[in-house]
Amino acid sequence: MRVYYSSAALIIAWLAVLGCIQAVTLEVKEGNSTCIKAELSASFSVTYNTSSSTRTVQFPLPDSTTVDTASSSCGTEESSPWLVAVFGPGHALGLSFSTNGSLYSVANLTLQYNLSDTSTFPDANSSVVITVVSASVGISATLNTTYHCVSPSTFAVGGATVTFSDMRLEAYMPGNELSPTESICMADPTSSTAPPTTAGTTTTAAPAPTPPGTPERGTYFVNKGNGTQCLLAQMGLQLNFTYFSRSQNKTVQELLNLTPNLTTSSGSCEASSASLVLTQGQITTLNFTFTLNSTSKKYHLSGITLLADRADAIAPISASNSSLDYLRSTLGRSYMCNAEQTLAVVPSFSLNTFRLQVQPFQVTTDQFDTAEECQMDQDLMLIPIIVGAALAGLVLIVLIAYLIGRKRSHAGYQTI
């Protein structure tokens, strides 16, 4: 399939889009009370098919965007709060929210675009309305605070991307105005979130923390609706993240082991994607997203999202990356790595895994299928073989040298 656009054209178009983005204000109300409010700028990049090629277009969230009152809601005990913004001929942006009692977060980011809009999608070979969803995008804040992120944050949503910038957002609002207390995103510079230092003091990063030891290996699984397991995982997990400490007035690093008997697992299983959500108490949520390539029959870990609340942090810890390529294996097999691995997610967060085995697709029993081992395990298996071969070679050399020496010593004597 031929790509229609050039990289230079994309850059020019993208800069043009960014230049005309304007902030919009969106509110979801119940009676006279506001439960969700957002002030943000957003832009979209969508790839679509024409009759002869593939095109990518970029367009902003216009200032004429309005809230769809029929689809938006403050939520109930059975349903989540939703903010649905509509714009143009049949386009929509949706955010659903969830809370664990101390944090609230964007649970789902939804984009709907109408390919029959010829001004936005010229020469599209279809006129359907497409809806794409991304789960756990890493937007979270402490309850009764405003999530604030000036830096552009881009999220992959199906075959599209959504980029937010200069975003102020609050859900589960106790009043009608955004809280003056803000939870600053990790993408913004530390200097914009750190409390002011006194004269003569400096803000420095803390030295690396003392490791808490090897984490305990936990067993986690996801069930289908009928109760059968569809995802299996066994692993020890250690979180490595940095945050700005309120009491120390500097950036600190922390290593945190996930404790299996304090951790619950949930998630979902679809034909080409699966998710595993691990929650430790009400302070730490770790989300793994696996993606299957139906053509190559290979799957991999494509996304990790961390939401954590530390008592000494000036804001909730939020980190997400949906374009990873870890734990690659073949459909119908499990992935196994007993060696310690470090999965880099974002500069401020990485995940250490120990004695890991996972199978996110085609689980037929409560046991793992044949494992494909990681390269590190294969290398560790080669070490004793190489050492053994070297020792055997050394013994052989000594033996040959001994025999040669013995033969020469006999040659020095003559028979009488």
Side-chain angles (χ1 to χ4, degrees):
M1 184 175 291
R2 184 167 58 90
V3 178
Y4 181 83
Y5 53 88
S6 68
S7 58
L10 272 182
I11 294 172
I12 294 171
W14 184 246
L15 290 175
V17 168
L18 288 178
C20 64
I21 292 177
Q22 299 185 36
V24 298
T25 299
L26 306 167
E27 290 187 65
V28 178
K29 291 178 172 288
E30 190 173 75
N32 294 323
S33 299
T34 301
C35 59
I36 304 171
K37 187 171 183 177
E39 298 174 355
L40 55 87
S41 299
S43 59
F44 312 95
S45 176
V46 178
T47 300
Y48 68 98
N49 295 324
T50 67
S51 57
S52 60
S53 64
T54 298
R55 295 188 189 181
T56 296
V57 295
Q58 297 87 20
F59 53 97
L61 185 70
D63 56 6
S64 58
T65 301
T66 59
V67 172
D68 182 357
T69 56
S71 302
S72 302
S73 75
C74 293
T76 64
E77 292 183 359
E78 292 78 25
S79 63
S80 301
W82 270 94
L83 166 61
V84 180
V86 292
F87 57 98
H91 311 308
L93 175 68
L95 297 92
S96 72
F97 298 86
S98 63
T99 179
N100 62 9
S102 59
L103 298 173
Y104 67 89
S105 60
V106 175
N108 288 286
L109 174 62
T110 302
L111 175 63
Q112 174 184 294
Y113 52 93
N114 183 6
L115 291 177
S116 66
D117 177 9
T118 56
S119 63
T120 304
F121 303 102
D123 303 324
N125 66 352
S126 173
S127 59
V128 299
V129 175
I130 295 178
T131 301
V132 288
V133 181
S134 178
S136 300
V137 295
I139 296 176
S140 70
T142 302
L143 282 173
N144 301 328
T145 70
T146 298
Y147 174 84
H148 191 189
C149 197
V150 176
S151 304
S153 302
T154 301
F155 305 100
V157 189
T161 62
V162 178
T163 300
F164 295 112
S165 59
D166 199 12
M167 184 181 200
R168 300 181 74 236
L169 168 75
E170 186 176 0
Y172 304 95
M173 295 173 63
N176 291 334
E177 298 299 329
L178 292 173
S179 171
T181 304
E182 295 185 334
S183 294
I184 309 298
C185 69
M186 296 183 70
D188 282 355
T190 302
S191 59
S192 66
T193 63
T197 58
T198 57
T201 63
T202 58
T203 301
T204 58
T210 303
T214 302
E216 182 183 351
R217 192 188 197 200
T219 299
Y220 311 104
F221 56 86
V222 176
N223 288 331
K224 293 181 181 178
N226 57 10
T228 60
Q229 295 179 359
C230 59
L231 184 152
L232 297 175
Q234 289 184 339
M235 52 193 169
L237 297 173
Q238 186 177 81
L239 313 180
N240 185 348
F241 51 86
T242 59
Y243 62 91
F244 196 90
S245 166
R246 181 183 292 107
S247 62
Q248 299 183 53
N249 195 34
K250 63 183 179 181
T251 299
V252 298
Q253 182 181 6
E254 182 174 347
L255 292 177
L256 175 67
N257 289 348
L258 218 60
T259 306
N261 62 0
L262 300 178
T263 302
T264 59
S265 61
S266 60
S268 63
C269 299
E270 306 295 339
S272 59
S273 66
S275 67
L276 171 64
V277 182
L278 303 180
T279 304
Q280 182 167 289
Q282 293 186 339
I283 59 172
T284 305
T285 300
L286 192 61
N287 187 310
F288 300 87
T289 301
F290 297 88
T291 301
L292 171 67
N293 186 319
S294 57
T295 302
S296 64
K297 305 297 182 184
K298 296 283 188 179
Y299 66 83
H300 67 284
L301 175 64
S302 59
I304 296 177
T305 296
L306 170 70
L307 302 175
D309 193 12
R310 312 303 290 164
D312 193 38
I314 63 172
I317 299 164
S318 172
S320 182
N321 191 332
S322 59
S323 19
L324 303 176
D325 189 8
Y326 296 127
L327 317 187
R328 182 171 287 275
S329 189
T330 305
L331 184 65
R333 294 176 178 267
S334 61
Y335 173 91
M336 183 170 69
C337 197
N338 287 310
E340 178 183 353
Q341 296 184 99
T342 298
L343 310 182
V345 182
V346 294
S348 59
F349 169 56
S350 62
L351 181 67
N352 302 327
T353 70
F354 302 78
R355 298 173 59 207
L356 178 146
Q357 187 168 10
V358 63
Q359 185 171 347
F361 299 100
Q362 283 195 357
V363 176
T364 55
T365 66
D366 59 354
Q367 301 293 325
F368 290 105
D369 285 323
T370 304
E372 291 187 354
E373 295 187 74
C374 65
Q375 188 62 49
M376 284 186 290
D377 280 2
Q378 296 177 29
D379 293 343
L380 289 174
M381 290 178 62
L382 285 175
I383 291 175
I385 296 174
I386 294 172
V387 172
L391 290 175
L394 182 61
V395 170
L396 182 61
I397 291 171
V398 171
L399 180 60
I400 292 173
Y402 168 75
L403 293 176
I404 292 174
R406 190 169 182 274
K407 183 176 180 180
R408 288 179 176 175
S409 64
H410 277 290
Y413 297 94
Q414 296 180 354
T415 55
I416 300 175

